[in-house]
């Protein structure tokens, strides 16, 4: 069964690149270009994982992650923040807001899909 990913990203170039790389490897991709729509689509589309930009119109990535965490039906859905390499503080803040992990921008086409696949496969968290 093909995995469905939701990409919440307002930069068209980043969105199309991620979508292209993921579809080439058989993922189904749906997209939202603002935070509020991203939350709605997370609930309606029931994706296997969510890729989340931080700087977004309507609701930023921190607000989106915090909102998604309020919905128990999304507990098993990893939230992968896509953060700028330079913005170290972003990573800590987005993890605190509820992200499962992060990958760095600019996207590396050679490793991107493998990184995402790892999060999707590990989506059932082990109890600690
Ligand atoms: Mn953005």
């Amino acid at each position: 069964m093909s995995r469905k990913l939701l990409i919440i990203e307002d930069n068209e170039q980043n969105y199309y690149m991620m979508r292209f790389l993921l579809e080439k490897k058989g993922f189904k991709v749906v997209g939202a270009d603002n935070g509020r729509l991203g939350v709605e689509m997370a609930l309606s589309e029931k994706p296997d994982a969510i890729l989340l930009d931080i700087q977004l119109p309507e609701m930023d990535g921190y607000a989106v992650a915090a909102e998604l965490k309020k919905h128990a039906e999304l507990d098993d859905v990893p939230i992968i923040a896509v953060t700028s390499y330079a913005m170290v503080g972003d990573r800590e803040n987005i993890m605190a807001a509820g992200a499962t992990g992060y990958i760095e921008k600019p996207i590396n086409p050679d490793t991107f899909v493998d990184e995402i696949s790892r999060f999707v496969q590990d989506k059932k968290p082990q109890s600690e």
Side-chain angles (χ1 to χ4, degrees):
M1 196 179 83
S2 117
R3 299 285 199 170
K4 178 159 69 175
L5 302 185
L6 168 62
I7 302 177
I8 308 174
E9 166 68 81
D10 62 323
N11 179 292
E12 263 191 18
Q13 203 175 342
N14 287 341
Y15 173 73
Y16 283 117
M17 166 128 124
M18 290 190 276
R19 179 172 190 149
F20 171 77
L21 293 168
L22 289 163
E23 286 182 340
K24 200 164 67 170
K25 296 288 181 177
F27 286 92
K28 188 165 188 271
V29 174
V30 292
D33 63 1
N34 73 67
R36 190 173 311 283
L37 180 62
V39 170
E40 287 173 21
M41 288 183 69
L43 294 166
S44 63
E45 295 282 343
K46 302 178 177 24
D48 294 293
I50 297 166
L51 276 69
L52 177 61
D53 182 29
I54 305 228
Q55 295 189 327
L56 288 165
E58 306 286 334
M59 287 172 79
D60 68 17
Y62 306 114
V64 170
E67 182 62 30
L68 294 176
K69 284 288 133 189
K70 294 179 187 166
H71 296 272
E73 67 267 42
L74 298 175
D75 278 355
D76 285 344
V77 181
I79 301 169
I80 307 151
V82 184
T83 68
S84 299
Y85 177 71
M87 303 296 278
V88 176
D90 278 1
R91 278 177 234 156
E92 288 157 7
N93 292 338
I94 197 69
M95 295 298 285
T100 314
Y102 59 82
I103 61 167
E104 285 166 357
K105 276 186 204 173
I107 299 301
N108 179 341
D110 295 329
T111 57
F112 174 70
V113 176
D114 282 346
E115 288 182 81
I116 298 303
S117 300
R118 203 167 54 233
F119 284 108
V120 177
Q121 277 156 15
D122 291 348
K123 74 180 205 164
K124 299 283 180 210
Q126 309 205 333
S127 51
E128 292 171 77

